[in-house]
mmCIF file of all heavy atoms in Angstrom:
data_model
loop_
_atom_site.group_PDB
_atom_site.id
_atom_site.type_symbol
_atom_site.label_atom_id
_atom_site.label_comp_id
_atom_site.label_asym_id
_atom_site.label_seq_id
_atom_site.Cartn_x
_atom_site.Cartn_y
_atom_site.Cartn_z
ATOM 1 N N ASP A 9 79.259 77.502 116.405
ATOM 2 C CA ASP A 9 80.127 76.329 116.218
ATOM 3 C C ASP A 9 81.645 76.655 116.702
ATOM 4 O O ASP A 9 82.518 75.995 116.472
ATOM 5 C CB ASP A 9 80.194 75.921 114.737
ATOM 6 C CG ASP A 9 78.900 75.315 114.348
ATOM 7 O OD1 ASP A 9 78.160 74.808 115.180
ATOM 8 O OD2 ASP A 9 78.503 75.546 113.127
ATOM 9 N N ALA A 10 81.792 77.894 117.363
ATOM 10 C CA ALA A 10 83.106 78.292 117.797
ATOM 11 C C ALA A 10 83.558 77.805 119.081
ATOM 12 O O ALA A 10 82.677 77.339 119.890
ATOM 13 C CB ALA A 10 83.143 79.825 117.675
ATOM 14 N N ARG A 11 84.783 77.766 119.359
ATOM 15 C CA ARG A 11 85.407 77.535 120.697
ATOM 16 C C ARG A 11 86.251 78.734 121.062
ATOM 17 O O ARG A 11 86.934 79.388 120.138
ATOM 18 C CB ARG A 11 86.320 76.210 120.628
ATOM 19 C CG ARG A 11 85.488 75.036 120.313
ATOM 20 C CD ARG A 11 86.407 73.833 120.347
ATOM 21 N NE ARG A 11 86.985 73.595 121.737
ATOM 22 C CZ ARG A 11 87.785 72.510 121.919
ATOM 23 N NH1 ARG A 11 88.104 71.704 120.932
ATOM 24 N NH2 ARG A 11 88.130 72.310 123.180
ATOM 25 N N VAL A 12 86.253 79.086 122.246
ATOM 26 C CA VAL A 12 87.028 80.169 122.748
ATOM 27 C C VAL A 12 88.559 79.749 122.918
ATOM 28 O O VAL A 12 88.778 78.701 123.526
ATOM 29 C CB VAL A 12 86.554 80.659 124.112
ATOM 30 C CG1 VAL A 12 87.455 81.794 124.736
ATOM 31 C CG2 VAL A 12 85.059 81.195 124.016
ATOM 32 N N VAL A 13 89.471 80.543 122.308
ATOM 33 C CA VAL A 13 90.855 80.247 122.285
ATOM 34 C C VAL A 13 91.580 80.980 123.496
ATOM 35 O O VAL A 13 92.406 80.467 124.204
ATOM 36 C CB VAL A 13 91.459 80.667 120.955
ATOM 37 C CG1 VAL A 13 93.023 80.485 120.938
ATOM 38 C CG2 VAL A 13 90.971 79.685 119.852
ATOM 39 N N VAL A 14 91.198 82.340 123.554
ATOM 40 C CA VAL A 14 91.811 83.211 124.540
ATOM 41 C C VAL A 14 90.608 84.051 125.310
ATOM 42 O O VAL A 14 89.940 84.742 124.623
ATOM 43 C CB VAL A 14 92.891 84.100 124.008
ATOM 44 C CG1 VAL A 14 93.509 84.961 125.107
ATOM 45 C CG2 VAL A 14 93.963 83.414 123.307
ATOM 46 N N GLU A 15 90.663 83.949 126.521
ATOM 47 C CA GLU A 15 89.735 84.791 127.223
ATOM 48 C C GLU A 15 90.257 86.243 127.326
ATOM 49 O O GLU A 15 91.434 86.427 127.556
ATOM 50 C CB GLU A 15 89.442 84.252 128.660
ATOM 51 C CG GLU A 15 88.851 82.792 128.680
ATOM 52 C CD GLU A 15 87.386 82.798 128.514
ATOM 53 O OE1 GLU A 15 86.725 83.979 128.447
ATOM 54 O OE2 GLU A 15 86.739 81.712 128.605
ATOM 55 N N PRO A 16 89.321 87.212 127.536
ATOM 56 C CA PRO A 16 89.767 88.609 127.819
ATOM 57 C C PRO A 16 90.501 88.686 129.186
ATOM 58 O O PRO A 16 90.266 87.817 130.044
ATOM 59 C CB PRO A 16 88.510 89.437 127.736
ATOM 60 C CG PRO A 16 87.445 88.613 128.061
ATOM 61 C CD PRO A 16 87.878 87.108 127.494
ATOM 62 N N PRO A 17 91.227 89.731 129.391
ATOM 63 C CA PRO A 17 91.962 89.861 130.727
ATOM 64 C C PRO A 17 90.988 90.137 131.873
ATOM 65 O O PRO A 17 91.406 89.908 133.008
ATOM 66 C CB PRO A 17 92.996 91.000 130.468
ATOM 67 C CG PRO A 17 92.405 91.769 129.360
ATOM 68 C CD PRO A 17 91.728 90.807 128.500
ATOM 69 N N ALA A 18 89.817 90.592 131.526
ATOM 70 C CA ALA A 18 88.853 90.882 132.623
ATOM 71 C C ALA A 18 87.399 90.765 132.011
ATOM 72 O O ALA A 18 87.283 90.714 130.707
ATOM 73 C CB ALA A 18 89.005 92.142 133.435
ATOM 74 N N GLY A 19 86.344 90.992 132.754
ATOM 75 C CA GLY A 19 85.061 91.055 132.180
ATOM 76 C C GLY A 19 84.638 92.488 131.940
ATOM 77 O O GLY A 19 85.252 93.429 132.385
ATOM 78 N N GLY A 20 83.647 92.655 131.073
ATOM 79 C CA GLY A 20 83.016 93.943 130.795
ATOM 80 C C GLY A 20 83.572 94.784 129.612
ATOM 81 O O GLY A 20 84.526 94.220 129.101
ATOM 82 N N PRO A 21 82.807 95.742 129.125
ATOM 83 C CA PRO A 21 83.327 96.419 127.894
ATOM 84 C C PRO A 21 84.580 96.953 128.025
ATOM 85 O O PRO A 21 85.074 97.344 129.120
ATOM 86 C CB PRO A 21 82.215 97.507 127.864
ATOM 87 C CG PRO A 21 80.985 97.012 128.508
ATOM 88 C CD PRO A 21 81.600 96.194 129.653
ATOM 89 N N GLY A 22 85.446 97.040 126.920
ATOM 90 C CA GLY A 22 86.800 97.619 126.852
ATOM 91 C C GLY A 22 87.857 96.557 127.173
ATOM 92 O O GLY A 22 89.048 96.874 126.969
ATOM 93 N N SER A 23 87.460 95.388 127.698
ATOM 94 C CA SER A 23 88.443 94.433 128.014
ATOM 95 C C SER A 23 88.418 93.339 126.832
ATOM 96 O O SER A 23 87.399 92.650 126.642
ATOM 97 C CB SER A 23 88.031 93.676 129.327
ATOM 98 O OG SER A 23 89.050 92.718 129.592
ATOM 99 N N TRP A 24 89.600 93.135 126.166
ATOM 100 C CA TRP A 24 89.516 92.429 124.932
ATOM 101 C C TRP A 24 90.808 91.406 124.862
ATOM 102 O O TRP A 24 91.859 91.722 125.277
ATOM 103 C CB TRP A 24 89.599 93.329 123.675
ATOM 104 C CG TRP A 24 88.727 94.409 123.564
ATOM 105 C CD1 TRP A 24 87.571 94.513 124.174
ATOM 106 C CD2 TRP A 24 88.922 95.640 122.767
ATOM 107 N NE1 TRP A 24 86.852 95.680 123.728
ATOM 108 C CE2 TRP A 24 87.612 96.399 122.991
ATOM 109 C CE3 TRP A 24 89.861 96.149 121.950
ATOM 110 C CZ2 TRP A 24 87.490 97.644 122.313
ATOM 111 C CZ3 TRP A 24 89.600 97.339 121.323
ATOM 112 C CH2 TRP A 24 88.522 98.096 121.454
ATOM 113 N N ALA A 25 90.411 90.280 124.216
ATOM 114 C CA ALA A 25 91.586 89.408 123.727
ATOM 115 C C ALA A 25 91.073 89.210 122.272
ATOM 116 O O ALA A 25 89.912 88.838 121.980
ATOM 117 C CB ALA A 25 91.499 88.110 124.523
ATOM 118 N N GLY A 26 92.045 89.500 121.375
ATOM 119 C CA GLY A 26 91.630 89.284 119.995
ATOM 120 C C GLY A 26 92.655 89.932 119.029
ATOM 121 O O GLY A 26 93.882 89.871 119.204
ATOM 122 N N ALA A 27 92.083 90.570 117.875
ATOM 123 C CA ALA A 27 92.861 91.052 116.766
ATOM 124 C C ALA A 27 93.946 90.082 116.469
ATOM 125 O O ALA A 27 95.167 90.396 116.330
ATOM 126 C CB ALA A 27 93.520 92.352 117.213
#
Side-chain angles (χ1 to χ4, degrees):
D9 295 328
R11 296 182 65 179
V12 176
V13 173
V14 184
E15 298 277 0
S23 184
W24 304 341

